[in-house]
Amino acid sequence: MGRIAVIGAGMGAMAAAARLAVAGHRVTVYERTETYGGAVRRFERDGFAFDTGPGLLPLPAVYRDLFVKTGKEPLEDVVELVQVDPSARHVFADGTEVALPNASRAGVVTALDEALGAGAGQRWGDFLVRAREAWDRTRRPLLEEPLWPNWQVLAEREPYPSVPHKKLLRTRRAGTLAEIGAWELRDPRLAALLDSHALAYGLDPRVTPASAAVLPYLEHAFGTWYVRGGLRELARAVHERCVRRRVEFVFGAEATAVLEKDGRAAGVEFADGSTAEADVVVAGVAPEALRRPPAAADPVPRTGLPSRLTVLLALRGGRPEGTAHRTVVHAADAGAELVGLFGSGPAAPGTVTVLRPDDPALVPDAGHEAVALVSAVPAGSDGRDLAEQAVTAAERAVPGLRERILWQEVRTPADVAAETGAPGGAVPAPALAAGAGALLRPGNTTGLSGLFSAGGWAHPGGGLPHAGMSGALVAGLVVEGPEFRGSQ
């Protein structure tokens, strides 16, 4: 039984801690803030409650596996999962609207044909078939196995089977999401639908590789889920699972460096100068938070990751029956949005996701509603100047919204930075193939023996499912050694 120090109490770090404790190790988690969950937090005021991080859970099988493997107890015994239907309502720039059923290809095809015109649904359905092929080609190396030593294979090969397209007497294939939209979907609204899956993770569809087609496919194939009481309930359940497996938590402990001895990790140094010895260290924080050497052969992820602006609205008046849980309000000017988010131009109103959970636990009574508006913004920006613009955009989906506001709370990139320690409040995206490896994350092993990385800043990248998978990979590498090749 070894002593394991885990830095950070984010979802990936806690997933690793629970699995390592079950394997017989003595695990201590050191968290610089006063609570667990990383970005999965809650804001409460006057009987209202809001998620300030992720609002929905894709691929819940990752956390089902965690709870079975750490206690033979179904996830549904500790939280209530609700499948969201429709998966999302979309309000496009031209005013067209469509509500997409959850995990139903036939239903989605029909809905798109009715809203956008005959043939639109079939083009999207055909795209999902191709996206499935990209998913099948990349699922294991990107999600279920440690990062390959020859990760360049993943970086160079585009797994998405693009349709040949004739352009200027040449036959070309889509290499980015934007090209898929223009050449294969051939409808600006379908292109906006595709782009919204990238923008939700702060990815620029103009340069994001076509392999990102797996993002809408993942949601389509495995459904969209909500945790009753908010996603913070999932963080609570994982924390309680760790405690039941005798994981110790030390809050208010800011780790600043990993101790080394004889060429391997030997413990953790804290901001107050104290230290804690360990046989293995698991870092669940952004690389910039620690003085630690990277693995020389790791991919170098792109910089300039966007952050997240969240506007929490306490509303008078109850939630109307039949209201969609999630509505995506697409930017009125997609070009200006991209320049403001990824270029050097002024910040512009962007795509806004409106979350309206049907959950009595979030409101003081049935005469009120709790709504969250979420939008990608540049990391390090103040973001408050866009809050009113987000409300204005949301009014396209919720008429009379502004008149119902009792109060609002704006959560900026600075709040994300304070909660997660990520510079500028940057939010990591899931790992993706192709694109020269710019969207691969560094491996779970590092340049220092005995030091491992878990969470969104390590393989397989950001997002709740990916964080949980990183915890499983780290636990496998610690327990089984470098020969570990993932779950079978």
Side-chain angles (χ1 to χ4, degrees):
M1 180 171 69
R3 299 167 300 172
I4 297 182
V6 178
I7 302 173
M11 298 299 284
M14 289 198 296
R19 291 176 182 271
L20 289 167
V22 168
H25 296 282
R26 288 181 291 151
V27 183
T28 302
V29 176
Y30 300 97
E31 166 59 41
R32 67 181 185 84
T33 70
E34 297 301 327
T35 190
Y36 53 83
V40 185
R41 301 289 181 101
R42 174 183 285 148
F43 178 83
E44 298 181 1
R45 174 182 163 187
D46 300 339
F48 291 87
F50 305 84
D51 283 319
T52 60
L56 293 169
L57 175 66
L59 202 59
V62 172
Y63 289 92
R64 289 189 178 113
D65 180 73
L66 172 65
F67 277 82
V68 169
K69 296 290 177 58
T70 60
K72 298 181 180 179
E73 181 180 20
L75 175 63
E76 285 81 355
D77 281 2
V78 294
V79 297
E80 182 182 354
L81 286 178
V82 181
Q83 193 165 24
V84 175
D85 202 8
S87 174
R89 169 187 170 218
H90 290 263
V91 179
F92 297 104
D94 66 353
T96 307
E97 297 187 18
V98 63
L100 301 181
N102 200 338
S104 169
R105 181 179 181 275
V108 167
V109 168
T110 299
L112 288 172
D113 275 343
E114 292 176 352
L116 309 187
Q122 188 61 51
R123 289 197 297 278
W124 184 261
D126 291 344
F127 159 73
L128 288 177
V129 172
R130 295 189 293 275
R132 176 179 179 175
E133 187 170 337
W135 170 261
D136 289 340
R137 291 174 177 176
T138 60
R139 175 175 181 169
R140 186 157 183 81
L142 276 182
L143 302 181
E144 298 174 355
E145 298 179 343
L147 186 66
W148 291 348
N150 61 334
W151 57 265
Q152 291 85 354
V153 175
L154 291 172
E156 296 165 359
R157 292 181 182 176
E158 174 54 73
Y160 177 77
S162 302
V163 176
H165 170 77
K166 286 189 176 180
K167 185 175 177 67
L168 299 178
L169 304 179
R170 293 168 49 193
T171 299
R172 301 182 60 183
R173 291 178 178 271
T176 66
L177 282 190
E179 290 174 342
I180 291 175
W183 301 349
E184 298 180 8
L185 299 178
R186 304 191 308 280
D187 184 308
R189 296 161 298 183
L190 289 180
L193 173 58
L194 175 59
D195 290 351
S196 68
H197 290 274
L199 291 169
Y201 288 104
L203 299 175
D204 184 348
R206 298 170 301 181
V207 297
T208 297
S211 65
V214 300
L215 298 176
Y217 175 77
L218 184 151
E219 184 174 297
H220 161 76
F222 304 104
T224 305
W225 300 78
Y226 173 68
V227 178
R228 186 72 68 187
L231 268 291
R232 177 65 176 178
E233 286 299 293
L234 179 63
R236 173 198 56 78
V238 175
H239 173 254
E240 290 182 356
R241 174 52 51 89
C242 287
V243 172
R244 289 176 61 183
R245 295 298 166 262
R246 301 184 183 279
V247 174
E248 181 183 359
F249 283 80
V250 181
F251 295 105
E254 182 179 0
T256 56
V258 174
L259 300 178
E260 299 180 36
K261 184 178 180 180
D262 299 329
R264 62 172 291 114
V268 181
E269 180 181 340
F270 302 98
D272 62 3
S274 64
T275 61
E277 295 183 353
D279 301 301
V280 168
V281 176
V282 176
V285 295
E288 295 86 348
L290 291 174
R291 301 190 301 273
R292 58 185 170 115
D298 270 346
V300 179
R302 70 182 180 91
T303 58
L305 288 173
S307 184
R308 180 174 56 243
L309 174 73
T310 307
V311 184
L312 311 177
L313 302 176
L315 304 184
R316 58 174 63 90
R319 180 181 187 270
E321 186 175 353
T323 296
H325 185 120
R326 173 176 56 168
T327 298
V328 179
V329 183
H330 295 265
D333 186 338
E337 174 186 29
L338 296 178
V339 171
L341 185 55
F342 304 106
S344 57
T351 299
V352 175
T353 298
V354 183
L355 297 175
R356 306 178 70 182
D358 182 11
D359 191 343
L362 305 185
V363 291
D365 54 54
H368 295 85
E369 184 179 7
V371 173
L373 313 180
V374 185
S375 184
V377 296
S381 64
D382 178 81
R384 292 183 183 276
D385 56 331
L386 293 177
E388 284 303 303
Q389 297 179 31
V391 174
T392 299
E395 283 192 296
R396 291 166 47 201
V398 189
L401 172 64
R402 197 178 296 274
E403 288 70 29
R404 294 177 58 196
I405 298 175
L406 291 170
W407 52 262
Q408 71 180 40
E409 172 76 14
V410 179
R411 310 287 291 179
T412 69
D415 296 303
V416 178
E419 293 172 353
T420 67
V427 177
L432 294 171
L439 289 171
L440 294 175
R441 303 304 310 180
N444 306 108
T445 54
T446 71
L448 181 63
S449 179
L451 174 63
F452 300 84
S453 290
W457 298 102
H459 178 73
L464 275 174
H466 298 72
M469 286 182 274
S470 79
L473 292 173
V474 166
L477 288 165
V478 172
V479 173
E480 298 185 26
E483 66 278 5
F484 174 69
R485 291 295 177 266
S487 58
Q488 301 298 322

